[in-house]
Each structure stands twice: as C-alpha cells, then as structure tokens.
Amino acid sequence: MDFKDFKPANNIQDLQYFGEFGGVNPSISDSSTYTFLSAKTMFDTFEGNADGCYLYSRHTTPSNLYLGEALAAMEGTETANVAASGMGAITPTILQLCQAGDHIVSSRTIYGGTYAFLKNFIPRMDIQTSFVDITKLEVVEAAIRPETKILFCECVSNPLLEIADIKNLAALAKKHNLQLLVDNTFSPLSISPVTLGADVVMHSLTKFINGSSDTMGGVVCGSRELIDSLRSVNDGASMLLGASMDSLRAASILKNLRTLHIRMQQHSKNAMFLAQKFEADGFRTVYPGLKSHPGHELMTSQMNKQYGYGGMLTIDVGSLDRANALMELMQERNLGYLAVSLGFYKTLFSAPGSSTSSEIPEDEQEEMGLTDGLIRFSIGLDADIERTYELMKQCMVETLK
Ligand SMILES: *Cc1c(COP(=O)(O)O)cnc(C)c1O
C-alpha cells in the first residue's frame, strides 16, 4: 500500500456493506455454525482450502470479518482478526510468533495485563522478555539477542504517556529481523503505526474505538499470512485459545467505529484545554500536546494532526491520599467516574499505581516514574469543557490545600 497520503478515517468511510435485504448496515450472522452444500467443501474448509466459506464461529463470522476489514482499512494492513478482548488479541499474537527459547524486547511502560503476561506467564513456555526504556533507542538495541523475535511497545504508553519513536524502532526491527508489534489503544487515528513501518498493530476495542464502555473487544491488524496463521484450525493461537468475538458485539462495535474520528477530535480538544489549564495552575501535568512533554515533538512529527494528541492525560497530586480525595470529590460532583478504562463519553479517572498498573512491582514503578499520587484521566466528550475546568478546579482547591 502507498502510505504517502494515508487517511485512516476516509478508509473507514469508503467501505460499503449492504445488509442481506438492502439494509444500510450489514446483516448480523446470528449463528455459531454454518451448513455446507457438499461434504467435500466442508473438508476443504477445514484444510484451509475453501476461501469464503464459514465453518464455525470460533474461527470467524461474517460480522467479525466486516469489523476486521474496517479496522484493517483504518490501520492500513492487509487484513485483521477481531477477538473477545484486547488481551484476547495481544496474547495469541505473541504466542503465535514465538517458540520456546525465543526472546522479546518490550517497553517497560505498557498496559499492566500485557506486562504481567510477558513477565509472569510466558516464561513458563521458556519465552523471556527484557523490559527497556523504549524512548532510548540505544538501550532498546542493546537488549536485542540472537533469539529475539519481537519488539513490543505502545505508541502512547499506559499510563505514563511516553511516545515511542515508531519509525526508528521499525528500522531497528528490520535491521535485526524482528517483528515490531505496536499496541495503538491510546492513539487510534492519531497514529498510524504501519505507515511508520510497524509490522503488526493491536488494539483493545474496549476503549476509544468502541467508546461506550459497554463491550470488550480486541483486534490484531497485520499481514494475511499472520492472520491466517492465527486462525489456523491446526495450530492457530486465536482459533485454539478461543478468545473469539461474538457477532452481535462485532456488529455493535462496527457502528461505533464510524464516529471514532469525531469522538477523537473532541477527546483531544478537551484534553488539550484541561492540560494547558492544569499546567498553568502549577500541577505536574503530562500530556503529549504540551510543549513540556519530552515526546511532544516526536508525537507531532508522527501523528495525523487532525485527531490531536488524544484524550489521556495525567496529573501528579503528590500522594495517594490526595489523589483519592480529589477523585472521590470529582465523582460526587458528577465530573466523571472513578473507574479504570478509557474512551468513554464521561471523564474516567483512576490512580494507576494502585490499580491498572499494580501488576508492576513497587520498585519498578518508582524507577519508571509511576508515583503514588499520579491520576490518570481519560477526558470525556464534555460539550462545555470550560465549565468542566472551573468545577474541577474547585474540587482541587477543596482537596489539595
Ligand atoms: C485495556 C488495554 C488493553 C487490554 O484490553 P482488554 O480489552 O481490557 O483486554 C491492552 N492495552 C492497552 C493499552 C489497554 O489500555
């Protein structure tokens, strides 16, 4: 594909699927299994030799393929496979690409579940991971071994919002014959990792992409070869581990995907407004859109500008007690919810050190700058962000004296 003028939202918009009766939405395939007109076709399908035939819904379904193709179009990959959750997309992909004895180099600031999987789970299969500061390319390269197969990072990391230099990481991956796997959950549309050289892009659809906090979902976008291997009935990790998405959910996520561009613009606009205000008020504020952010220029150089710097920001209020008091008051005043996850219409906030990143041992949290008083905000779609700011400011004045 030619990525010179890559427009992810246009790629979604340009898809055209009609439903079975001419509906403007594709029909939902409400079946777990599919009939064959001949026994021979069933055999061929099991052997992987009958394109376009559906077998059994753990393998895939028409609804899942519609959603997968839309997400592949958004990321610029040949195809994609959707899964029942973000972890249901990430873990099989890693297992599919690694054998016992292999090695992974991963950013140390990643989603807590992915971190726990790499650190505590796959060493049982004799797959080892070195965790590195992904912003230091020389440190990343030094960690690569002859048996390294995967370089793993998040474009905008969770929860510290570090920016990965995808272009240079892709060059490193190419030089050492690794696959660059990127989790783009925090920056859908804003960053198109494949256009920068990444091999595989994954998302938790549970977050911004679905955007209504009603559904779990995940996707892996990559080459036809990788996706076919994940779905193989004989040795495909997605097929055999079974974290398959349900068709009803795939259909509902596809409908929400169509407004993602509008939502990302509003999340970004609101987050930028609050980040600038909080910083001016003297709070330690981390947001990639701020000039003070160490990855600001890098983010600016690799983003699709119209979607902005995303909806995530953090402020450090000094201690967990202060963070908790502030979050409880903001919830009481209906400025958002004290909840993990992200991408909702309401602002969500949590203290990651004691929640979503609690899988990471305390000494390692400290080393990476994950402090107790850090609050992670997923800024909502508030229509009047100035009012929201005034009300939040009042909560801060009352709790952070
Ligand atoms: C939530 C999240 C995941 C895991 O996704 P689930 O849908 O919860 O399984 C992975 N990566 C990132 C960056 C996330 O925020």
Side-chain angles (χ1 to χ4, degrees), residues 48-88:
N49 299 330
D51 250 10
C53 286
Y54 295 96
L55 186 63
Y56 182 61
S57 287
R58 175 155 40 78
H59 184 243
T60 192
T61 74
S63 298
N64 291 13
L65 289 189
Y66 288 129
L67 177 61
E69 290 316 306
L71 291 161
M74 179 180 89
E75 290 296 1
T77 57
E78 282 177 2
T79 186
N81 191 47
V82 296
S85 69
M87 292 306 290

Side-chain angles (χ1 to χ4, degrees), residues 177-192:
N177 202 20
L178 317 178
Q179 294 277 301
L180 176 59
L181 270 57
V182 176
D183 179 337
N184 200 21
T185 301
F186 274 35
S187 44
L189 297 178
S190 290
I191 300 184
S192 300

Side-chain angles (χ1 to χ4, degrees), residues 112-129:
T114 313
Y115 180 88
F117 178 72
L118 293 174
K119 173 129 181 158
N120 306 327
F121 195 89
I122 51 170
R124 299 183 197 180
M125 288 141 197
D126 194 23
I127 299 167
Q128 307 300 329
T129 302

Side-chain angles (χ1 to χ4, degrees), residues 228-253:
D228 283 350
S229 77
L230 282 166
R231 283 193 199 129
S232 163
V233 294
N234 294 312
D235 60 2
S238 295
M239 179 66 182
L240 299 177
L241 296 174
S244 306
M245 179 175 273
D246 182 76
S247 288
L248 292 167
R249 286 309 195 183
S252 85
I253 296 171

